[in-house]
Amino acid sequence: MTLEQILIMCLIGAAAGWLAGVVIRGFGLGLIGNIVIGIIGSFVGSWLLGSVLKVAISTGSPTVNSILTSAVGAAVLLLIFGASRRR
């Protein structure tokens, strides 16, 4: 991966973290926390959907596909983090 690809993945992850924080109410970590979760979630979403589940999100726009894939990963992380935090 080039530096440009990593930077784009981080920006998309930040948007996805915000989106996941909006969708998954009650498990949010605040704006900055959700953005960090989104950046990590972009890697998790790519791995989870691509390698584990062998599915791809296809909307016709590569940017929207990446944001939705990252949002799935961020939502999974928010749910896991929220469930572990409540115990």
Side-chain angles (χ1 to χ4, degrees):
M1 279 186 137
T2 66
L3 182 60
E4 181 180 351
Q5 290 171 325
I6 292 172
L7 180 61
I8 290 170
M9 187 176 275
C10 288
L11 291 173
I12 288 173
W18 173 80
L19 179 63
V22 169
V23 172
I24 308 292
R25 295 228 179 241
F27 294 119
L29 304 173
L31 181 62
I32 301 298
N34 286 348
I35 289 172
V36 170
I37 289 291
I39 292 170
I40 297 168
S42 67
F43 293 100
V44 171
S46 296
W47 170 78
L48 181 66
L49 293 179
S51 298
V52 176
L53 299 177
K54 304 280 192 226
V55 296
I57 295 175
S58 180
T59 62
S61 170
T63 304
V64 174
N65 296 344
S66 296
I67 290 173
L68 292 176
T69 300
S70 300
V72 167
V76 167
L77 286 176
L78 282 174
L79 289 172
I80 290 170
F81 188 76
S84 68
R85 193 169 70 169
R86 290 194 176 193
R87 290 183 180 185

